[in-house]
């Protein structure tokens, strides 16, 4: 067993213990809010299932990507586990679904590792990914299958389940953009013209930026999903900058986003409302500002060490299982627990970007960057929304929030990162340089 | 590209640092502000959802309890006796906080006090309800008798066991139904609250311990005690001239007797007929210093020692104030001018005399019992002062018995029981009506109950006297209290 896998196994055991501990405490208090508390009877089987699922994932990594980084999977497991224990505490019925989705997510993780043996194969299907990504993006708008829930049209109804295809679209589009940029990056980096003292890009090279901008506007306008729109566009612009080294891409991108956001603010009541709440949630604490104010009360009542799992009053926060699960964690696990969540994301980001730096293959490097940025920005946007650092936009907290599509997509994303990680290490040990 | 990826890493780190800083602001720096924000009902909702101990009278009648209900809040605070104990238990309201014992003993009722929380290590693992129940000193029968005897008159009744300071009854009318305020129907509760606030009779406040009034002639007991203790008088000496007016130094305005009658004689006689002129003169003779010491000894000018929140402090002007205001000292000595006392204070006064000059701390909570039946806290008798000597108390007791046998407090007499007492009729500034008072205790040789009855006067009540109006009420309460305390 190499050192990565040994570390991974040890960390997985720790993550499982933390999960089971949180679950036991939450379950214990569920039976009577601190009074008459008893450890849930099924804690044994629960721990066995958690360990079983995680060990299965671990074995798959050993089998399919033995040289991959050993911390990514345990971090995801920890986030997933704490999130699950909180969902158990909030809503037993949702927890059952989340358990199934977690198992399916790990299955998707294993399947991705097994199927994608060489990350560069994905680049070959770039246009397929582009098409799939685009269709997934616009699917919720489609009649018949498209579903609107809570004012956002993000869902596609597939028989009994509602799927959020946007979660998968972000991966497909990252794959497409990475391979597209690897091919075009020299071109996109060069084409500048000098007007007076400043370098201005050729209009034709602005094409991709404009296309991405259009796509994210589409999402914003028709699906009313500010968070995903911001996330996709930001990821794209960052990847463009990483690939080309041209600082004006983020500049132009930022300007375009500002234009789009202003238009949206001007045009849509719900955007105006979000901004109003962000600027002053205390103006209307029982109406518009209710959710964020309740989140603040929850965080404040948590303090440093939290009320303890099951002992807070998070049932007052709307969307507590999904967008606002971070506030629930802050309340019941305190500043320490919330900091652990933030730290886990920082570690995932650091590891993901280190994987990108180490990768010798440009496509893999860009893809790893794109995937990591997507995950990192998504967590930042929603935590920032809950903490009122940004206007609130409803997206899930990766691995933590309730939501099948999100969980499945993020496990696939994780598998791709591990694949790239394995390859970069593999290349190094074999002393074979792969060029494209 | 690697350089840019490293820069990107730094950029993302900066973003997450912002999150971390803001998280600390919300959860630590600004947390207290959020916790106490008026829009934050978390604590009160929690208070309403969790178990809470009950409150019972000494005979086991439950007067406050939490029952499980369906709805957003798991429990409803219920007051089975309605208005009868409103000023004792107080209310526990979602919108308006808590009052009375609900407030004073919240930690024990809610199970958050240190003593109850963790008794032993094993408590961490066994099923146990940590809330505590309060057992009061009040006797349900005596309390009901107090309500019935006072009827629809505005006023208050307080009965105390002089030996222990246990409050046997404490009733104030008008009262209110605390169930209206603890209701989960917030609109209804708000309406009830506003109506109570608007009510000119201030039913939310207890006349028994939260308000103070001119005690009138009942205060002559203090003046008599000061004269006895100060060596200015004995029951039979001096003998004052019989007169219908007394003119104090520094004034030419006379103090008159009730009904413009004439009176005088020794201290026993002056107490029997409640002689204003004599006591005014006696007060001036005793002097401001001695009067202030005696009044202070009985509890005037000190925060009320009772175990209830927002109890009124009874007042007697300071000695220095009277130096150039001797006429006002004469007024104060007969319980007028700025002298003001709560009915609870006057009951304590009677109780101290009854208990041979030893004043016991008045209290309503006798025991705090946890859900296992273990006594967490037991409130025993506690001496808080000796306002008069044993011998003065004995002389005073004899003289006050004489007031019931032959004097103004005949209405207090109970067949077969030796009863002592003193009436009071206090003038109200700006009104033709009078407040009627009576204090008393029984049996004289070994007192088990001391009472104070106050009937509030206004323009509609007219001239009501302590003997005629308050006496019969006190008598009924005393008879019941004597029965209730036989076994104590």
């Amino acid at each position: 067993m190499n050192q990565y896998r040994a570390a991974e196994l040890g960390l997985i055991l720790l993550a499982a213990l933390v999960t089971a501990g949180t679950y036991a405490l939450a379950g214990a208090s569920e039976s009577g809010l601190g009074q008459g508390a008893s450890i849930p009877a099924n804690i044994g089987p629960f721990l066995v299932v958690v360990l079983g699922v995680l060990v299965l994932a671990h074995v798959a990594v050993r089998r399919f990507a033995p040289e991959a980084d050993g911390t990514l999977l345990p971090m995801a497991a920890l986030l997933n586990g704490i999130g699950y224990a909180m969902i158990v505490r909030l809503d037993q019925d949702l927890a059952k679904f989340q358990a199934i989705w977690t198992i399916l997510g790990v299955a998707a993780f294993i399947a991705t590792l097994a199927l994608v043996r060489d990350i560069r194969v994905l680049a070959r299907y770039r246009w397929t990914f582009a098409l799939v990504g685009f269709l997934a993006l616009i699917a919720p708008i489609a009649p018949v299958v498209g579903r609107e829930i809570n004012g956002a049209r993000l869902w596609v109804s597939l028989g009994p389940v509602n799927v959020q295809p946007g979660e998968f679209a972000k991966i497909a589009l990252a794959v497409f953009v990475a391979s597209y940029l690897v091919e075009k990056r020299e071109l996109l980096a060069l084409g500048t013209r000098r007007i007076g003292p400043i370098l201005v890009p050729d209009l034709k090279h602005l094409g991709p930026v404009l296309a991405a901008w259009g796509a994210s506007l589409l999402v914003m306008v028709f699906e009313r999903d500010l968070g995903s729109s911001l996330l996709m566009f930001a990821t794209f612009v960052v990847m463009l900058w990483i690939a080309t080294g041209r600082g004006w891409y983020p500049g132009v991108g930022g300007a375009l986003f500002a234009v789009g956001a202003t238009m949206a603010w001007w045009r849509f009541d719900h955007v105006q409302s979000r901004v109003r709440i962000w600027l002053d949630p205390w103006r209307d604490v029982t109406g518009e500002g209710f959710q964020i104010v309740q989140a603040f009360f929850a965080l404040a009542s948590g303090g440093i060490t939290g009320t303890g799992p099951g002992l807070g009053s998070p049932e007052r926060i709307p969307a507590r299982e999904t967008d606002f699960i971070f506030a629930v964690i802050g309340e019941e696990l305190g500043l320490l627990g919330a900091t652990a969540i933030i730290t886990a994301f920082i570690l995932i980001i650091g590891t993901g970007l280190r994987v990108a730096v180490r990768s010798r293959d440009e496509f893999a490097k860009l893809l790893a960057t794109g995937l990591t940025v997507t995950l990192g920005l998504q967590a930042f946007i929603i935590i920032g929304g809950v903490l009122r650092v940004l206007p609130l936009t409803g997206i899930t907290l990766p691995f933590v929030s309730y939501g099948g599509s999100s969980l499945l997509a993020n496990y696939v994303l994780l598998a791709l990162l591990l694949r790239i990680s394995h390859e970069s290490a593999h290349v190094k040990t074999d002393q074979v340089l792969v060029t494209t | 590209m690697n350089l840019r990826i490293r820069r990107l890493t730094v950029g993302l780190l900066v973003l997450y640092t912002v999150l971390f800083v803001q998280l600390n602001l919300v959860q630590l720096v600004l947390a207290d502000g959020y916790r106490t924000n008026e829009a934050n009902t978390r604590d009160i909702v929690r208070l309403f959802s969790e178990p809470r101990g009950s409150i019972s009278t000494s005979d086991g009648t439950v007067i406050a309890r939490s029952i499980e209900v369906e709805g957003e809040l798991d429990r409803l605070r219920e007051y089975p006796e309605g208005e009868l104990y409103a000023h004792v238990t107080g209310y526990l309201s979602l919108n308006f906080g808590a009052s009375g014992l609900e407030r004073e003993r919240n930690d024990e009722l809610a199970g958050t006090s240190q003593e109850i929380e963790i008794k032993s290590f094993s408590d961490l693992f066994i099923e146990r309800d940590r809330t505590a129940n309060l057992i009061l000193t009040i006797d349900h029968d005596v309390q009901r008798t107090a309500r019935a005897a006072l009827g629809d008159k505005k006023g208050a009744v307080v009965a105390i066991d002089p030996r222990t300071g246990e409050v046997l009854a404490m009733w104030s009318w008008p009262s209110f139904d605390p169930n209206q305020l603890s209701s989960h129907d917030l609109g209804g509760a708000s309406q009830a609250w506003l109506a109570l606030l608007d009510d000119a009779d201030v039913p939310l406040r207890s006349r028994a311990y939260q308000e103070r009034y001119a005690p009138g002639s009942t205060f002559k007991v203090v003046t008599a005690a000061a004269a006895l203790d100060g060596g200015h008088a004995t029951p039979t000496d001096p003998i004052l001239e019989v007169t219908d007016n007394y003119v104090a130094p520094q004034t030419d305005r006379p103090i008159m007797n009730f009904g413009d009658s004439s009176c005088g004689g020794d201290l026993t006689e002056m107490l029997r007929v409640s002689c204003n002129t004599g006591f005014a003169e006696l007060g001036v003779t005793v002097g401001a210093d001695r009067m202030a010491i005696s009044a202070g000894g009985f509890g005037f000018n000190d925060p009320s020692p009772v175990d209830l929140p927002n109890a009124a402090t009874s007042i007697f002007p300071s000695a220095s104030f009277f130096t150039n205001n001797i006429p006002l000292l004469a007024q104060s000595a007969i319980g007028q001018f700025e002298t003001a006392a709560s009915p609870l204070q006057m009951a304590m006064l009677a109780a101290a005399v009854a208990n041979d000059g030893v004043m016991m701390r008045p209290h309503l909570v006798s025991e705090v019992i946890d859900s296992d039946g273990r006594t967490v806290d037991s409130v025993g008798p506690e001496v808080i002062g000796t306002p008069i000597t044993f011998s003065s108390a004995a002389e005073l007791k004899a003289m006050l018995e004489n007031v019931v046998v032959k004097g103004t407090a005949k209405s207090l007499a109970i067949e077969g029981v030796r009863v002592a007492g003193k009436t009071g009729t206090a003038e109200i500034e700006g009104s033709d009506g009078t407040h009627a008072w009576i204090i008393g205790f029984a049996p004289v040789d070994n007192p088990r109950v001391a009472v104070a009855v106050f009937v509030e006067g206004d323009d509609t009540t007219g001239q009501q006297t302590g003997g005629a109006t308050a006496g019969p009420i006190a008598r009924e309460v005393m008879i019941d209290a004597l029965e209730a305390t036989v076994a104590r």
Side-chain angles (χ1 to χ4, degrees):
Chain A
M1 181 163 30
N2 70 46
Q3 53 167 357
Y4 291 129
R5 299 284 72 75
E8 184 175 80
L9 189 59
L11 290 172
I12 278 175
L13 293 178
L14 280 178
L17 278 179
V18 171
T19 303
T22 317
Y23 173 82
L25 287 172
S29 22
E30 192 62 30
S31 60
L33 284 171
Q35 268 108 27
S38 59
I39 305 286
N42 63 350
I43 183 66
F46 174 79
L47 188 58
V48 169
V49 171
V50 170
L51 273 177
V53 169
L54 289 178
V55 167
L56 217 60
H58 168 73
V59 169
V61 178
R62 282 180 135 188
R63 172 82 179 77
F64 300 118
E67 305 293 325
D69 180 273
T71 56
L72 284 172
L73 181 61
M75 284 302 156
L78 181 71
L79 291 171
N80 194 174
I82 291 179
Y84 176 74
M86 285 299 158
I87 293 164
V88 169
R89 176 250 176 285
L90 293 168
D91 188 333
Q92 304 273 354
D93 292 334
L94 284 187
K96 285 177 194 130
F97 287 116
Q98 184 77 344
I100 295 168
W101 285 116
T102 300
I103 291 168
L104 288 177
V106 172
F109 173 83
I110 296 170
T112 308
L113 278 179
L115 290 173
V116 186
R117 294 300 183 88
D118 181 351
I119 200 76
R120 285 163 304 168
V121 172
L122 296 181
R124 269 187 242 152
Y125 300 103
R126 82 175 71 135
W127 292 107
T128 312
F129 278 108
L131 185 67
V132 168
F134 184 70
L135 287 179
L137 209 54
I138 61 165
I141 307 170
V144 186
V145 290
R147 285 280 177 282
E148 181 173 320
I149 302 177
N150 293 335
R153 199 176 173 91
L154 304 177
W155 279 266
V156 166
S157 180
L158 295 178
V161 284
N162 288 331
V163 178
Q164 234 179 311
E167 293 281 352
F168 300 97
K170 71 187 184 192
I171 298 178
L173 292 174
V175 171
F176 163 71
V177 170
S179 72
Y180 174 83
L181 289 179
V182 165
E183 193 169 289
K184 298 279 166 85
R185 73 187 191 99
E186 304 290 329
L187 219 63
L188 291 170
L190 279 178
T192 48
R193 208 186 308 171
R194 186 172 288 274
I195 299 179
I198 47 166
L199 286 171
V200 179
D202 257 354
L203 222 49
K204 63 179 175 187
H205 298 312
L206 279 179
V209 191
L210 289 171
W213 183 60
S216 47
L217 274 187
L218 206 69
V219 172
M220 183 150 71
V221 172
F222 289 102
E223 304 180 9
R224 280 188 237 142
D225 184 6
L226 303 173
S228 298
S229 167
L230 169 65
L231 177 62
M232 264 186 338
F233 188 64
T235 306
F236 174 76
V237 170
V238 167
M239 287 174 79
L240 202 53
W241 169 64
I242 297 286
T244 63
R246 289 294 175 266
W248 47 259
Y249 277 118
V252 170
L256 283 173
F257 187 81
V259 170
T262 312
M263 275 165 49
W265 179 82
W266 187 56
R267 191 75 185 75
F268 298 112
D269 287 344
H270 71 279
V271 179
Q272 284 184 20
S273 156
R274 290 287 169 84
V275 173
R276 266 201 310 274
I277 297 166
W278 178 57
L279 292 175
D280 186 9
W282 304 99
R283 212 172 45 89
D284 185 9
V285 290
T286 55
E288 275 189 344
F290 183 77
Q291 189 175 33
I292 195 123
V293 162
Q294 288 303 323
F296 271 39
F297 289 161
L299 289 165
S301 81
I304 296 180
T305 53
T307 60
L311 297 177
S313 317
E315 53 287 340
R316 310 174 64 74
I317 315 169
R320 55 197 164 272
E321 296 97 353
T322 51
D323 301 354
F324 272 73
I325 197 154
F326 186 76
V328 181
I329 292 171
E331 172 172 13
E332 302 210 326
L333 302 180
L335 177 66
L336 296 177
T339 305
I341 299 292
I342 290 181
T343 310
F345 279 109
I346 292 176
L347 288 174
I348 290 179
I349 292 167
T351 309
L353 292 178
R354 197 176 63 225
V355 166
V357 167
R358 285 199 184 154
S359 178
R360 306 287 174 98
D361 179 83
E362 287 191 340
F363 166 69
K365 192 185 281 287
L366 256 185
L367 182 57
T369 308
L371 295 176
T372 308
V373 166
T374 300
L375 188 81
L377 279 184
Q378 181 164 346
F380 171 76
I381 287 170
I382 187 58
I383 295 177
V386 171
L387 291 178
R388 206 164 74 88
V389 169
L390 304 172
L392 180 66
T393 57
I395 48 177
T396 56
L397 184 57
F399 295 113
V400 186
S401 289
Y402 170 77
S405 307
S406 166
L407 213 46
L408 226 62
N410 284 312
Y411 269 114
V412 169
L413 187 156
L414 192 74
L416 293 177
L417 272 180
L418 282 177
R419 167 58 62 221
I420 299 169
S421 173
H422 167 76
E423 283 176 5
S424 60
H426 191 66
V427 166
K428 208 161 110 192
T429 47
D430 286 5
Q431 295 299 310
V432 176
L433 285 174
V434 179
T435 52
T436 47
Chain B
M1 284 201 278
N2 282 353
L3 177 67
R4 292 194 289 278
I5 294 174
R6 291 203 176 89
R7 281 189 190 154
L8 175 66
T9 314
V10 173
L12 285 169
L13 257 178
V14 169
L15 291 184
Y16 273 78
T17 306
V18 172
L19 290 186
F20 182 64
V21 169
Q22 172 76 351
L23 183 68
N24 277 276
L25 280 177
V26 176
Q27 291 207 271
L28 283 185
V29 183
L30 305 172
D32 273 342
Y34 296 139
R35 275 193 283 262
T36 54
N37 188 289
E38 58 179 5
N40 193 346
T41 55
R42 289 178 151 258
D43 288 348
I44 196 92
V45 165
R46 166 169 287 231
L47 202 63
F48 267 73
S49 295
E50 290 187 0
R52 186 176 177 86
S54 65
I55 305 177
S56 314
T57 57
S58 61
D59 50 292
T61 306
V62 176
I63 59 175
R65 66 178 167 211
S66 288
I67 53 168
E68 290 192 33
V69 291
E70 296 294 314
E72 195 206 346
L73 305 164
D74 299 335
R75 285 178 179 78
L76 175 69
R77 195 63 172 168
E78 192 187 58
Y79 302 91
E81 298 296 329
E83 65 182 22
L84 185 56
Y85 292 99
H87 296 117
V88 173
T89 59
Y91 51 80
L92 181 72
S93 157
L94 258 178
N95 335 33
F96 313 111
S99 71
L101 288 172
E102 293 278 27
R103 180 164 140 198
E104 191 73 6
R105 295 290 185 149
N106 180 57
D107 286 352
E108 280 127 325
L109 289 168
T112 51
S113 85
Q114 292 288 323
E115 295 90 62
I116 307 164
E117 257 194 341
I118 294 165
K119 276 259 172 176
S120 67
F121 188 65
S122 65
D123 284 1
L124 290 169
F125 300 100
I126 57 168
E127 290 196 18
R128 204 162 73 76
D129 187 344
R130 293 204 193 91
T131 62
N133 302 322
L134 301 184
I135 311 291
L136 304 189
T137 56
I138 291 187
D139 184 281
H140 189 49
D141 283 337
V142 183
Q143 181 80 1
R144 274 189 300 190
T145 302
R147 170 168 65 179
L150 186 63
D152 58 1
K153 297 185 185 76
K154 285 188 282 180
V157 177
V158 179
I160 298 182
D161 185 331
R163 301 165 298 179
T164 56
E166 291 176 352
V167 175
L168 303 169
M170 186 183 256
W171 169 245
S172 167
W173 178 256
S175 184
F176 63 96
D177 182 0
N179 290 305
Q180 290 183 323
L181 301 181
S182 69
S183 163
H184 293 177
D185 166 21
L186 297 186
S190 283
Q191 240 172 5
W193 173 257
L194 290 176
L196 288 170
L197 283 185
D198 275 352
D199 195 325
D201 288 336
V202 281
L204 278 175
R205 292 180 68 81
S206 169
R207 286 164 164 74
Y209 73 96
Q210 292 181 315
E211 300 286 0
R212 58 187 174 220
Y213 309 91
S217 300
T218 52
F219 191 76
K220 287 172 185 161
V221 175
V222 176
T223 307
L228 290 169
D229 264 4
H232 299 283
T234 70
T236 51
D237 179 71
I239 297 170
L240 298 185
E241 189 193 340
V242 174
T243 175
D244 64 354
N245 72 83
Y246 167 70
V247 182
Q250 301 174 347
T251 183
D252 46 17
R253 280 193 58 191
I255 287 176
M256 309 297 288
N257 285 317
F258 187 72
D260 293 335
S261 59
S262 294
C263 59
D266 60 15
L267 189 56
T268 306
E269 173 63 10
M270 291 198 300
L271 270 173
R272 186 184 72 81
V273 297
S274 195
C275 186
N276 283 352
T277 52
F279 268 98
E281 185 179 344
L282 190 60
V284 174
T285 310
V286 166
D289 288 335
R290 186 68 234 177
M291 283 300 295
I293 290 169
S294 279
F298 280 110
F300 282 79
N301 300 326
D302 280 335
S304 176
V306 75
D307 51 350
L308 285 170
N310 296 329
T313 299
S314 300
I315 48 172
F316 184 80
S318 68
S320 60
F321 170 80
F322 291 120
T323 317
N324 298 312
N325 291 297
I326 293 177
L328 293 179
L329 175 60
Q331 292 271 347
S332 300
I334 57 169
Q336 293 288 162
F337 178 55
E338 279 184 359
T339 307
S342 66
L344 171 64
Q345 169 65 58
M346 296 315 286
M348 286 162 60
L349 169 65
V353 174
N355 198 37
D356 301 325
V358 179
M359 193 176 238
M360 309 303 290
R361 180 184 297 282
H363 60 275
L364 287 87
V365 175
S366 83
E367 277 187 300
V368 181
I369 295 189
D370 74 9
S371 52
D372 295 341
R374 291 184 292 191
T375 301
V376 180
D377 187 13
S378 177
V379 185
E382 185 193 340
V383 176
I384 54 171
T386 311
I388 46 168
T389 62
F390 181 86
S391 59
S392 297
E395 289 167 345
L396 200 46
K397 280 164 80 170
M399 289 190 283
L400 292 175
E401 186 180 9
N402 187 53
V403 178
V404 174
V405 176
K406 299 179 190 162
T408 56
K410 285 195 188 98
S411 58
L412 213 52
I414 302 167
E415 208 183 318
V417 182
R418 291 174 61 194
V419 183
K422 180 74 196 80
T423 56
T425 303
E427 289 167 14
I428 308 165
E429 252 188 60
S431 169
D432 291 335
T434 52
H435 294 321
W437 284 89
I438 199 159
I439 59 175
F441 53 88
V444 172
D445 47 350
N446 183 22
R448 296 201 306 270
V449 56
V451 294
V453 170
F454 163 75
V455 179
E456 188 175 328
D458 56 37
D459 291 339
T460 64
T461 60
Q463 301 264 334
Q464 41 184 12
T465 62
T469 309
I473 300 168
R475 180 177 178 273
E476 273 188 65
V477 173
M478 248 189 197
I479 290 172
D480 252 32
L482 285 170
E483 213 167 287
T485 52
V486 166
R488 290 204 192 193

